[in-house]
Amino acid sequence: MDFFKRETDITFMAYRRQLAGFTVLLVAAAIAFLMIRGLNLGLDFTGGTLVEVGYPEAVELADVRATLDEGGYEDAVVQTFGTARDILIRLAPDVGQGDSLSNAVLETLRAENPDAELRRVEFVGPQVGEELAEKGGLALIYALGGILLYVAFRFEYRFAIGAVAAVVHDVVVTLGIFAGIGMTFDLTVLAALLAVIGYSLNDTIVVFDRIRENFLRIRKGTSESITNRSINQMLPRTLVTSFTTLLVLLALVFLGGELIRGFAVALIIGVLVGTYSSIYVASSAALALGVSKEDLIPPPKEGEDADEEQP
C-alpha cells in the first residue's frame, strides 16, 4: 500500500514516440476488425426474433444448427447463453414473428430433443432497430462534440484535441475488440461505450488539470518534464480508481449473468484502454502540438501594464 502513498518518478513521456507507433497499430487493427468482421449486432439494432431455449443437459451448437437447417431456418444464428444448456436463436425479420414462429422453432427442436424448453421470446421490428442504431451513433457524435467544446473552453485547444483523440481511440479500440471476439453488440454495450467516454474524459481532465497547475506553479522545467511530474502525481489516484472499478466489473462478468456481461466487458476494456490513452494519447498529443507554459498563462488585465510602468 506504500506505493499508493508515495509519488513515483517514471519518465512516461520519454517513451511517447515509441508508443505512438503502437497506438497507431492498435487503432489500425481495430479498424481492420471492424471492416473485415464487423460488429455482431444484437437484436436491438438488426431487428428480428430472439428465442431462448433451455435443455436439461449440454448440447452441441452444430447439432442445433443442423436441426434448424432441416426445419427450414437456414439463416438462423445460434449461440450459447451463459452455459451449454442455454441456447439463443436469432431469426431475421422476414422469417416471421410472434408466438407462431417461436412455437414452430420449438417444435422443430423437440423433434430431435423432446426435453427442449422455451424460456424467452423477443421481437424487434427492423425499423425500430434502424432507429436505435441511428440514435446510438448520434449520441456518440454529440458526446465527442461536447467534449471538444468543453475542454477547449476549460483549458486550451491543444488539450481539447488531445482529449478528443484519446476518447476516439478508446471507442475505436473497444469496438475493434468486440468485432474481434464476436461478442454481441447491443444497447447495453452502447450504454457502456458512453460510460467509457465519461470515464476516459474524467481521467484525462484530472491529468490535464494537474499539468496546468504545474505549468503555472513550476518556473523551471520543460513541458515534457512537467507533464511527467504531473502524471506521476496523479498515478496513485488513477491506479486506485481503476483497480476498484475493475473489481466491481469483474464481479459483474462472473456473477452478473449473461444479460449484463457485454456491458461489463465493454467497461473493463474501456477502463484499461482509457488509463493508457490518458497518458500516451491525450498528454502525448498535447505535447506534440506544442503546448507550453505561455499558452496557459492568463493575459494581463487592461491597465496592469500601464500601472507597472509608472514609478
Side-chain angles (χ1 to χ4, degrees), residues 83-98:
T83 68
R85 296 178 301 172
D86 300 314
I87 303 297
L88 280 183
I89 302 169
R90 196 166 63 196
L91 302 163
D94 55 2
V95 176
Q97 65 185 66

Side-chain angles (χ1 to χ4, degrees), residues 30-45:
I31 294 174
F33 275 122
L34 288 169
M35 294 178 63
I36 297 173
R37 298 194 60 174
L39 292 171
N40 180 21
L41 295 176
L43 197 69
D44 298 326
F45 300 120

Side-chain angles (χ1 to χ4, degrees), residues 290-310:
V291 69
S292 63
K293 296 180 182 179
E294 289 74 16
D295 298 319
L296 299 175
I297 297 176
K301 297 180 180 179
E302 294 183 3
E304 284 187 356
D305 294 339
D307 293 340
E308 290 178 358
E309 291 176 1
Q310 293 180 0

Side-chain angles (χ1 to χ4, degrees), residues 1-308:
M1 294 300 293
D2 291 338
F3 172 79
F4 297 107
K5 298 178 181 179
R6 63 185 176 88
E7 183 178 324
T8 56
D9 187 21
I10 304 172
T11 55
F12 289 101
M13 293 297 101
Y15 309 101
R16 70 181 190 275
R17 292 180 177 84
Q18 294 90 328
L19 287 174
F22 170 75
T23 302
V24 171
L25 289 176
L26 187 63
V27 173
I31 294 174
F33 275 122
L34 288 169
M35 294 178 63
I36 297 173
R37 298 194 60 174
L39 292 171
N40 180 21
L41 295 176
L43 197 69
D44 298 326
F45 300 120
T46 61
T49 301
L50 181 72
V51 181
E52 181 183 349
V53 179
Y55 291 89
E57 297 179 356
V59 293
E60 294 291 335
L61 290 181
D63 297 336
V64 177
R65 291 192 185 99
T67 303
L68 291 172
D69 288 345
E70 294 175 0
Y73 304 103
E74 294 86 358
D75 297 327
V77 177
V78 182
Q79 63 188 83
T80 56
F81 186 72
T83 68
R85 296 178 301 172
D86 300 314
I87 303 297
L88 280 183
I89 302 169
R90 196 166 63 196
L91 302 163
D94 55 2
V95 176
Q97 65 185 66
D99 294 337
S100 58
L101 176 61
S102 59
N103 291 332
V105 170
L106 183 61
E107 290 302 322
T108 301
L109 296 175
R110 281 180 172 173
E112 294 294 331
N113 192 329
D115 296 325
E117 176 185 353
L118 184 64
R119 298 278 180 83
R120 172 168 60 107
V121 179
E122 294 180 6
F123 174 76
V124 176
Q127 184 175 0
V128 176
E130 291 177 3
E131 291 178 359
L132 290 173
E134 180 181 355
K135 291 180 179 178
L138 288 175
L140 291 175
I141 293 174
Y142 292 154
L144 293 176
I147 290 169
L148 182 64
L149 294 175
Y150 167 74
V151 181
F153 176 78
R154 182 76 170 79
F155 295 95
E156 207 261 346
Y157 79 92
R158 295 178 181 87
F159 284 121
I161 294 174
V164 172
V167 171
V168 171
H169 166 273
D170 298 344
V171 171
V172 171
V173 171
T174 302
L175 289 174
I177 293 176
F178 262 75
I181 63 180
M183 183 172 284
T184 302
F185 186 90
D186 54 19
L187 281 179
T188 63
V189 179
L190 177 61
L193 272 182
L194 293 174
V196 165
I197 290 175
Y199 184 93
S200 175
L201 178 64
N202 176 71
D203 210 24
T204 300
I205 291 297
V206 168
V207 174
F208 281 176
D209 202 45
R210 183 54 59 93
I211 291 175
R212 181 178 62 176
E213 290 178 3
N214 286 336
F215 269 171
L216 300 177
R217 184 172 58 88
I218 301 174
R219 295 184 178 182
K220 296 182 179 180
T222 63
S223 297
E224 180 176 327
S225 64
I226 293 175
T227 301
N228 276 325
R229 183 170 181 178
S230 303
I231 295 172
N232 279 287
Q233 288 173 347
M234 301 312 301
L235 185 62
R237 177 250 179 217
T238 298
L239 291 179
V240 169
T241 302
S242 300
F243 178 71
T244 53
T245 304
L246 288 173
L247 285 180
V248 175
L249 293 174
L250 288 172
L252 287 176
V253 168
F254 294 107
L255 304 175
E258 192 68 25
L259 288 176
I260 202 70
R261 185 163 295 161
F263 175 85
V265 169
L267 280 178
I268 289 174
I269 297 170
V271 168
L272 296 175
V273 174
T275 302
Y276 167 83
S277 68
S278 64
I279 299 174
Y280 285 112
V281 178
S283 301
S284 296
L287 282 181
L289 292 171
V291 69
S292 63
K293 296 180 182 179
E294 289 74 16
D295 298 319
L296 299 175
I297 297 176
K301 297 180 180 179
E302 294 183 3
E304 284 187 356
D305 294 339
D307 293 340
E308 290 178 358

